[in-house]
Amino acid sequence: MVLKKIKKALEKTPKFELIELPFIDVTEDPVRPELSLEFRQSHGRKIYGIRDETGDIAAVMCFAFTNDIPKSVEEMDTMSRDAAMQAIHRAGVQGSIAIAYTVWAKKKGGGKHMVNEVYKMIKASSHLNRLITLSPLTDMARKFHLKNGAREVQVNLTTQNFEYDIELSEWEKLKGKVTEKWRNTTWSIK
Ligand SMILES: CC(C)(COP(=O)(O)OP(=O)(O)OC[C@H]1O[C@@H](n2cnc3c(N)ncnc32)[C@H](O)[C@@H]1OP(=O)(O)O)[C@@H](O)C(=O)NCCC(=O)NCCS
């Protein structure tokens, strides 16, 4: 009985695949249609989509990678250019913060699933450690991110930033606790 219920629940869970999109029609972007495809593809920036089981793209999200939190598109442009330059010089990966500067759903519920898939990707990444938005000053953006578990970082002149905290896994938490206990034990031995 219980197994049947679990099986049913699993069957109902929609599955999405996060994919990098080589190009998109930027005029479809309801948030920042003024940003060209070239802008979205240069300086290490990336466009991601989620593909559902029918093969359709359910949502799109665009990213820049920085080492600081931008308060405007102009700041994000400069910061991600700098991070890309540093990466070339150091032969490393660029920017530890993923800035989601636009997201839109092509299918109902797509936006939420997009956030979930991107969150998983960043959590699994060894070089990205923060997921922050550069959102427009709209009620829709605010409600959407807060409802999906993000917290407000700051409200700026033309944008607002939200952060999806990358939580530690149970193993990482346990490791931290054991280390702390070990430290305390060592201190109490006289
Ligand atoms: C925001 C967006 C990505 C959410 O997509 P989604 O996950 O598929 O979810 P839904 O459309 O079911 O909306 C989810 C939540 O977003 C918020 N939202 C969506 N449309 C809204 C609107 N017109 N006004 C205010 N809040 C809105 C609500 O909190 C909503 O939850 P509710 O339906 O329980 O009220 C989608 O509405 C969209 O593409 N909007 C246009 C682009 C945009 O503004 N992007 C966000 C800023 S970067």
Side-chain angles (χ1 to χ4, degrees), residues 24-40 47 60 62 73 76 101-104 134 136 138:
I24 47 160
D25 176 359
V26 297
T27 61
E28 280 186 6
D29 180 348
V31 187
R32 307 190 187 284
E34 72 283 4
L35 298 181
S36 68
L37 186 60
E38 198 196 344
F39 177 97
R40 295 166 202 248
I47 306 166
V60 178
C62 298
V73 172
M76 180 183 77
Y101 62 89
T102 178
V103 56
W104 69 97
L134 182 72
T138 62

Side-chain angles (χ1 to χ4, degrees), residues 146-166:
L146 293 179
K147 201 176 164 190
N148 283 325
R151 64 177 176 85
E152 180 194 306
V153 176
Q154 58 199 7
V155 177
N156 315 304
L157 218 57
T158 56
T159 68
Q160 45 189 342
N161 305 110
F162 297 95
E163 176 157 17
Y164 288 89
D165 284 316
I166 305 296

